Amino acid sequence: MKLNYQPALLFTALTALTFTACKPGKVSQATDEDAAKKVYVAPGKYDELYMFASGGFSGQVASYGIPSGRMLKVIPVFSQNAENGYGYSEETKPMLNTSHGFVPWDDTHHPELSKTNGEDDGRWLFINANNTPRIARLNLATFKTDEILELPNVGGNHASPFCTENTEYVVGNTRFSIPLDAAKNVSIADYKKQFKGAATFIKVDKNSGKMNIAFQLVIPGFNYDLAHAGKGPSHDWIFFTCYNTEQANTLLEVNASQRDKDFIMAVNWKKAEELIGQGKGSKVPAKYAHNVWDEKTHSASSTMMNEVTMLDVQKYPGLIYYIPCPKSPHGVDVEPNGELFVASGKLAAVIPVFSFKKMLKAIEGKQYDGDFDGIPVLKYNAVLEGEVEKPGLGPLHTEFDGQGYAYTSMFVSSEIVKWKIATREIIDRIPTYYSIGHLSVPGGDSRKPYGKYVIALNKITKDRYLPTGPELTQSAQLIDITGNKMKLLLDFPTIGEPHYAQTIPAEKIQKNSVKFFKLEENNHTYATKAEKDARVIRKGNRVDIYMTAIRSHLAPDNIEGIKMGDEVYFHVTNLEQDWDVPHGFAVKGSNNAELLIMPGETATLKWNPDRSGIFPFYCTDFCSALHQEMSGYVRVSDQGSTIPISYKIGDNPLAKK
């Protein structure tokens, strides 16, 4: 059945785009006179909040202190990181394994904090890989990536990851619909018949956090975008936005702009769960990687999975419904009490606010505006609570302060608009610099927002910082929302492109922070827990060096008998049991990265020497006053050499006195 929409006039969108050249209002009009005092964190004092921002094209996550804006740590996730050897060490390489092989880079977009009763609980952070579809789980006690799960049948994992109210599931959806594996070799021209979406529901163990794909929903072949799960009365539902309902496969800027509306997809995940429990799903062959980090062995493993359970929504009425919304929406946001949800088109001039109660009533009364592939399309006005009129140009994302107000980012007009939820009245607006994408209110997507600030995550920083050639830093801006008028407090640079961020009170995380790894609990296969056990062992052309690091020497520090053609493995154990005493390791000529080994941890550097000679190795992380002296030598001889393996740390003359 055809939908009852008139084609949209393209000039409307093009006219709106001309506003991108317009700069927002003067910064002096929006800056707090006491801004410096409000963001100052004295030496030795801690920030009030953690902000976790996606690193965009860096493939990582960055943690910042708020309100200072100080970057605290880059957490490696989907890309190799030479700073600490992630993706280079033998222990961490399996984390970047996929069904396509070793993938050393990806594109991160949307961090999501784990939740309990709809509140951010500070245990885990989930983040998506957009290019080679994956979802990672970060452990916020160690600030390390604990798990990465690849998503089969998905092209572009942008609509991801979003968790349900008690982190029962983490959900990802396809950005680019593709043929499912069973029918993958088809013509692109067969898009409408052969291409499908796959909404992936990942079950999360409530204690360990371990992830497993529970099921995938086979859905019509659109481009799916950002989602949020319901809360309270809407607990059983999750809401996605989607675009390209025209199902175009070429020149989408024109061919995916023919209708004046796209959809919100409302999914009854609880009903889907029940159907899966009744055995309604089908086991489908699918190849995907599941990578898990073991904190006891300080090592990762990668397991290749071979099937997934799929459920075709067209076979089960009542599982999903479509709700019309303005063209090309970029996300849907649910207010703290779970009754209202918001989604708007990127080039729209209104912000629709929808009612969950009205949605249920429309479903009950079958208030449909046609269907799409047998899936009911609810009438727009039947679900609509009301519209925020003339908010600005390019509404993207909305978050809430828990005090009855909502904050929406305006991409085209470069501003944040504050509006009252009950009346949809515009209360205030503040310019951003420039082209804001996402925004983050601490806890702003949870049942209990922390409020106080909104953070703008901007796409452009032209003229905001000292120039650094044609490539400029990315930008975030901290804005005070405690009064009726929003006030700009701080600009600060970020890594990559900060698509989205989640912000949480520091007390929820810092109390659980791991200071060091207990040496007695180190179960790494090649751990050396005492210097007396340091040794070198040859097995054929493999040489394992069991090495220890402690202030201020490596043991052994003189090694001979290595030959050309050998594979050499330096297994370095940091014997320190004090907070903030990492050691590094590097050897001359290695085409791998250095290691950075935390106290009590073991890490491995693989080295294939390419010539004979003497090669220095040393600690790369400044660890003590005698850091420069923390070094040694390895001798490499020709392949036919008969020089046996030998090693030592030498004599300590002070010990003889």
Side-chain angles (χ1 to χ4, degrees):
M1 184 181 294
K2 291 185 178 180
L3 303 177
N4 300 324
Y5 303 138
Q6 297 297 319
L9 297 178
L10 287 178
F11 78 83
T12 302
L14 296 175
T15 302
L17 283 174
T18 63
F19 283 88
T20 57
C22 300
K23 289 187 177 181
K26 294 181 180 180
V27 67
S28 59
Q29 297 172 350
T31 301
D32 192 306
E33 294 180 356
D34 296 323
K37 182 178 179 180
K38 290 182 177 181
V39 302
Y40 178 69
V41 178
K45 300 295 183 182
Y46 291 144
D47 276 285
E48 182 181 357
L49 304 161
Y50 284 102
M51 182 181 86
F52 297 96
S54 63
F57 39 75
S58 75
Q60 318 295 31
V61 168
S63 174
Y64 300 85
I66 298 296
S68 73
R70 300 179 294 198
M71 189 172 76
L72 306 175
K73 183 178 176 65
V74 173
I75 308 171
V77 187
F78 295 115
S79 298
Q80 289 177 299
N81 190 338
E83 179 183 3
N84 55 20
Y86 180 85
Y88 292 98
S89 72
E90 297 305 295
E91 290 80 7
T92 57
K93 283 179 182 177
M95 294 300 289
L96 300 181
N97 189 40
T98 74
S99 63
H100 303 276
F102 183 77
V103 177
W105 167 89
D106 216 305
D107 180 22
T108 60
H109 281 226
H110 307 118
E112 175 88 344
L113 288 161
S114 58
K115 290 176 171 58
T116 301
N117 297 325
E119 298 179 44
D120 297 333
D121 59 29
R123 293 184 295 166
W124 307 305
L125 183 80
F126 302 93
I127 185 77
N128 63 318
N130 191 25
N131 182 51
T132 303
R134 288 166 285 173
I135 289 176
R137 177 176 58 83
L138 281 60
N139 183 343
L140 295 182
T142 60
F143 278 53
K144 283 189 173 185
T145 302
D146 266 7
E147 193 173 11
I148 294 179
L149 184 60
E150 188 177 1
L151 306 187
N153 303 312
V154 172
N157 180 37
H158 185 256
S160 168
F162 303 97
C163 67
T164 54
E165 196 167 12
N166 284 293
T167 321
E168 298 97 337
Y169 294 96
V170 167
V171 187
N173 207 343
T174 190
R175 177 181 179 183
F176 311 112
S177 288
I178 57 175
L180 302 183
D181 282 354
K184 59 186 175 184
N185 189 21
V186 301
S187 170
I188 298 173
D190 289 335
Y191 183 106
K192 290 185 178 182
K193 293 181 179 180
Q194 298 285 355
F195 288 46
K196 295 289 186 180
T200 306
F201 284 74
I202 297 169
K203 191 68 176 175
V204 180
D205 184 272
K206 63 181 180 180
N207 296 315
S208 68
K210 190 172 182 181
M211 304 187 295
N212 285 290
I213 295 178
F215 57 89
Q216 290 186 314
L217 298 181
V218 181
I219 51 182
F222 301 150
N223 293 64
Y224 290 87
D225 219 325
L226 309 191
H228 273 100
K231 311 176 184 76
S234 56
H235 169 85
D236 296 354
W237 294 76
I238 187 168
F239 306 91
F240 290 90
T241 47
C242 53
Y243 61 102
N244 189 22
T245 54
E246 295 85 354
Q247 296 186 299
N249 59 276
T250 182
L251 199 63
L252 264 62
E253 64 177 320
V254 174
N255 292 318
S257 300
Q258 299 304 300
R259 297 193 180 101
D260 65 351
K261 284 185 172 61
D262 279 314
F263 295 137
I264 296 170
M265 181 177 73
V267 179
N268 188 333
W269 65 261
K270 197 70 173 178
K271 183 172 183 177
E273 181 184 63
E274 291 170 358
L275 290 169
I276 292 295
Q278 296 165 10
K280 303 296 185 182
S282 300
K283 299 287 186 182
V284 177
K287 185 179 180 181
Y288 60 100
H290 189 184
N291 309 329
V292 179
W293 178 259
D294 187 332
E295 206 61 79
K296 297 296 184 182
T297 64
H298 305 298
S299 302
S301 60
S302 179
T303 303
M304 202 60 63
M305 313 300 287
N306 55 29
E307 70 176 13
V308 67
T309 300
M310 304 195 82
L311 191 69
D312 191 336
V313 300
Q314 291 177 312
K315 297 179 180 179
Y316 300 98
L319 200 54
I320 72 170
Y321 296 89
Y322 286 126
I323 302 166
C325 70
K327 191 67 191 168
S328 297
H330 198 37
V332 59
D333 303 282
V334 181
E335 71 163 333
N337 67 19
E339 160 56 18
L340 301 177
F341 53 100
V342 179
S344 187
K346 288 179 283 189
L347 300 178
V350 297
I351 302 173
V353 180
F354 300 96
S355 164
F356 178 71
K357 289 179 182 177
K358 289 185 176 181
M359 184 193 85
L360 294 182
K361 186 176 180 181
I363 292 171
E364 183 181 2
K366 296 185 178 181
Q367 299 181 62
Y368 300 155
D369 193 3
D371 66 84
F372 193 99
D373 284 351
I375 296 169
V377 177
L378 302 177
K379 289 183 179 292
Y380 177 78
N381 287 327
V383 185
L384 186 71
E385 180 73 12
E387 294 177 338
V388 181
E389 297 182 356
K390 298 180 180 179
L393 290 176
L396 285 185
H397 302 287
T398 299
E399 293 209 343
F400 308 91
D401 64 5
Q403 304 298 316
Y405 297 98
Y407 302 79
T408 301
S409 56
M410 298 287 170
F411 175 74
V412 178
S413 53
S414 291
E415 59 185 333
I416 292 175
V417 172
K418 176 180 180 178
W419 50 278
K420 192 171 184 178
I421 298 170
T423 62
R424 296 173 296 282
E425 171 192 3
I426 300 293
I427 301 299
D428 191 26
R429 60 182 71 239
I430 188 171
T432 60
Y433 299 86
Y434 303 97
S435 297
I436 182 175
H438 283 274
L439 45 68
S440 174
V441 174
D445 68 341
S446 74
R447 290 196 74 171
K448 289 189 177 180
Y450 183 79
K452 192 169 183 178
Y453 305 111
V454 62
I455 299 161
L457 301 160
N458 302 326
K459 305 296 185 185
I460 301 171
T461 60
K462 181 181 178 181
D463 75 24
R464 297 301 289 176
Y465 304 108
L466 290 171
T468 52
E471 182 182 3
L472 303 178
T473 184
Q474 307 296 315
S475 167
Q477 292 181 302
L478 181 68
I479 296 166
D480 185 341
I481 58 173
T482 55
N484 284 333
K485 301 292 291 183
M486 295 180 284
K487 293 291 185 179
L488 177 63
L489 300 179
L490 181 70
D491 283 356
F492 60 99
T494 65
I495 66 164
E497 181 186 350
H499 288 267
Y500 183 44
Q502 292 261 274
T503 311
I504 184 172
E507 62 183 14
K508 289 192 174 185
I509 293 177
Q510 67 183 92
K511 63 183 178 181
N512 299 319
S513 183
V514 171
K515 305 297 189 296
F516 58 85
F517 300 109
K518 294 179 181 179
L519 196 58
E520 64 270 20
E521 295 179 0
N522 182 341
N523 294 325
H524 192 288
T525 303
Y526 297 97
T528 309
K529 299 185 181 181
E531 190 173 294
K532 64 181 178 59
D533 297 324
R535 60 201 185 276
V536 182
I537 296 176
R538 173 184 289 282
K539 290 183 180 179
N541 70 336
R542 175 177 172 129
V543 178
D544 290 288
I545 301 171
Y546 294 74
M547 181 175 285
T548 61
I550 195 166
R551 289 166 288 183
S552 296
H553 60 266
L554 298 160
D557 63 4
N558 279 205
I559 303 168
E560 300 196 26
I562 307 297
K563 296 184 289 187
M564 288 292 296
D566 284 344
E567 283 191 345
V568 182
Y569 294 83
F570 291 92
H571 310 289
V572 186
T573 302
N574 183 345
L575 298 181
E576 308 283 358
Q577 292 288 267
D578 194 7
W579 192 14
D580 195 28
V581 191
H583 289 297
F585 181 81
V587 60
K588 180 184 176 182
S590 173
N591 61 6
N592 211 347
E594 64 165 331
L595 301 176
L596 187 62
I597 313 118
M598 296 299 107
E601 187 178 36
T602 301
T604 301
L605 178 72
K606 181 181 178 181
W607 180 49
N608 295 99
D610 66 346
R611 67 195 71 178
S612 58
I614 302 295
F615 295 84
F617 55 81
Y618 67 105
C619 175
T620 58
D621 191 76
F622 203 99
C623 55
S624 71
L626 295 175
H627 165 73
Q628 292 292 92
E629 285 74 16
M630 194 169 176
S631 62
Y633 294 99
V634 58
R635 177 186 178 186
V636 179
S637 302
D638 293 334
Q639 192 164 22
S641 171
T642 59
I643 298 173
I645 289 288
S646 65
Y647 54 92
K648 62 180 182 179
I649 191 174
D651 297 325
N652 182 353
L654 296 177
K656 296 179 180 180
K657 292 182 179 180

